[in-house]
Structure formats: structure tokens, C-alpha cells
Amino acid sequence: KNQVEQSPQSLIILEGKNCTLQCNYTVSPFSNLRWYKQDTGRGPVSLTIMTFSENTKSNGRYTATLDADTKQSSLHITASQLSDSASYICVVRDNTNAGKSTFGDGTTLTVKP
Amino acid sequence: DTAVSQTPKYLVTQMGNDKSIKCEQNLGHDTMYWYKQDSKKFLKIMFSYNNKELIINETVPNRFSPKSPDKAHLNLHINSLELGDSAVYFCASSRGPKTEAFFGQGTRLTVV
């Protein structure tokens, strides 16, 4: 069964600090992996997409990594801001015709002043 | 302009009622989805339609019936609502089944 596991479940950091969120998956065959940010009361918004051949991709203060061999991804947030407080969801899509996505349960990040 | 819009944003209804949630996208996408996010904030896919054809149905009860009159619309009708149906329902769309999904703002359904 395809699974996506994220850790930690929740995280509290001080403004200006860095943090790293983890995502491990068993989805096969692999197509791509996305990190979404979901603000409270809003729909998820895509931050980055990683394909099989990509190891690192940045989007501003967000940097995602992918190790397709160990089936692990991380999302690193640099110099956190209060607006980074949100849920971060890892989504892995398989490479079947339907392109089914498996969602992780998310990491809730709280940035405190 | 809102890319993926859902109505209503909030819906409070009694057990046993039938209700519908509407979704429209103006992105010209071929694929649309319905997701359910429970109280623990776990997002689960319910349905996926590509060019008005159902391609994913994640063993959702028959009380839930999606309707896609055209590629820009995917409505969700729920019969005989139960307390456990209380959740936030998100509609999303993408160019194709394997591309980025754009989400609507969600519909918070509360069954009392």
C-alpha cells in the first residue's frame, strides 16, 4: 500500500530560526513529489515539485530535497517568519495512468515572535 | 479572478438532509477533484474526473455523488447526511492527472 509519512507532526520555532520537515514515502512507481503549504482556513498551495532526477529545488526561503533511492524528502525553511505558520503537506504522485496522489498527514508549523 | 471557486463556503445542516456543493474552475483544466479534510486536518482524495470521466473513486459511500456537467464544473451531492460527514471539502483542478492541483478555498460542512 502506498504511504506517505511526515515528521514531526507539529513544530514550534522562534521567528528567524530555521527548520526542516521530513517526508518518507513508499509510493511506487514514482512520478513526482510536491510540498504544499496550507494556511488556516485556506486551500493548499504548491511550494515545490520534485521529479525523479531532481535532488534540490528552492523557492525563496523554502528548499526541498529529494533522495529517490531512500524515498525521502525534506523541506527546509530558512529565517522563518510569522507568516510561515501553517500546515505543510507532502504529496507523492504515482506514475500510473490515473496519476493518483497520496497525501501525508502534514506537519503543523507554528512560528512565534 | 478566483481560479477555483466553491460555494457555499459554510454549510450547516441537519442529519438526514441532502445537500450540494458546487465547484467551478476558470483555468481551462481538464482534471478536477474533490478532497475531504477531517478535524485532524488529514486531506483525503474522494474523486477525480478527467474530461468529465471518473478516474478515481476512493471507496466513498454511495451517498456521495459527484456530477460533472462540463470540464469546468464538478459538483458534489451528498444524500442522507451523517454527523461523520462534518469536514472541510476542497475542490481542486489541474491541467491533467499528473500536474499541479490548484485548490479552492474549501467548504466547511457541519452536520448537526
Side-chain angles (χ1 to χ4, degrees):
Chain A
K1 179 182 177 184
N2 287 336
Q3 289 185 312
V4 176
E5 294 184 354
Q6 292 187 239
S7 61
Q9 189 174 40
S10 61
L11 182 61
I12 301 174
I13 62 174
L14 292 177
E15 188 177 13
K17 298 296 185 183
N18 304 335
C19 67
T20 301
L21 314 180
Q22 300 289 344
C23 174
N24 297 339
Y25 63 92
T26 62
V27 174
S28 181
F30 175 84
S31 176
N32 61 57
L33 182 149
R34 286 186 188 274
W35 282 95
Y36 281 88
K37 179 187 179 189
Q38 185 176 17
D39 292 314
T40 300
R42 308 293 295 271
V45 175
S46 178
L47 292 174
T48 65
I49 178 173
M50 309 286 288
T51 56
F52 188 85
S53 59
E54 295 174 308
N55 298 120
T56 304
K57 183 174 284 188
S58 291
N59 177 4
R61 296 180 294 103
Y62 300 103
T63 299
T65 65
L66 175 66
D67 186 334
D69 291 330
T70 61
K71 297 189 176 181
Q72 296 179 326
S73 175
S74 66
L75 181 68
H76 186 74
I77 305 174
T78 305
S80 61
Q81 300 176 357
L82 297 179
S83 59
D84 292 333
S85 294
S87 288
Y88 292 84
I89 305 168
C90 176
V91 184
V92 183
R93 193 182 288 271
D94 67 32
N95 202 26
T96 61
N97 287 336
K100 183 181 172 183
S101 289
T102 302
F103 282 66
D105 290 336
T107 292
T108 300
L109 174 65
T110 303
V111 180
K112 293 197 168 183
Chain B
D1 283 345
T2 304
V4 181
S5 60
Q6 302 176 223
T7 54
K9 190 170 182 181
Y10 300 96
L11 182 55
V12 180
T13 187
Q14 289 186 323
M15 273 195 306
N17 284 351
D18 304 337
K19 291 293 179 185
S20 292
I21 307 172
K22 295 185 176 181
C23 178
E24 176 181 5
Q25 54 95 2
N26 61 5
L27 298 167
H29 288 167
D30 287 340
T31 307
M32 295 187 72
Y33 313 81
W34 276 107
Y35 291 87
K36 179 180 179 181
Q37 188 168 45
D38 61 24
S39 58
K40 294 183 179 179
K41 298 192 177 180
F42 300 153
L43 258 176
K44 304 292 181 191
I45 190 167
M46 300 173 69
F47 302 101
S48 173
Y49 271 71
N50 189 49
N51 283 317
K52 301 197 300 176
E53 299 288 327
L54 179 67
I55 57 173
I56 292 176
N57 179 345
E58 284 296 304
T59 59
V60 178
N62 291 337
R63 299 182 295 105
F64 291 79
S65 53
K67 292 283 192 305
S68 184
D70 55 58
K71 287 198 307 183
H73 296 84
L74 182 62
N75 303 322
L76 183 65
H77 188 76
I78 315 170
N79 288 327
S80 304
L81 279 157
E82 301 176 357
L83 293 177
D85 296 333
S86 295
V88 180
Y89 292 84
F90 285 98
C91 176
S93 74
S94 62
R95 273 190 293 116
K98 300 182 180 182
T99 57
E100 177 186 356
F102 292 81
F103 286 78
Q105 296 298 295
T107 295
R108 181 173 293 278
L109 171 66
T110 304
V111 183
V112 297

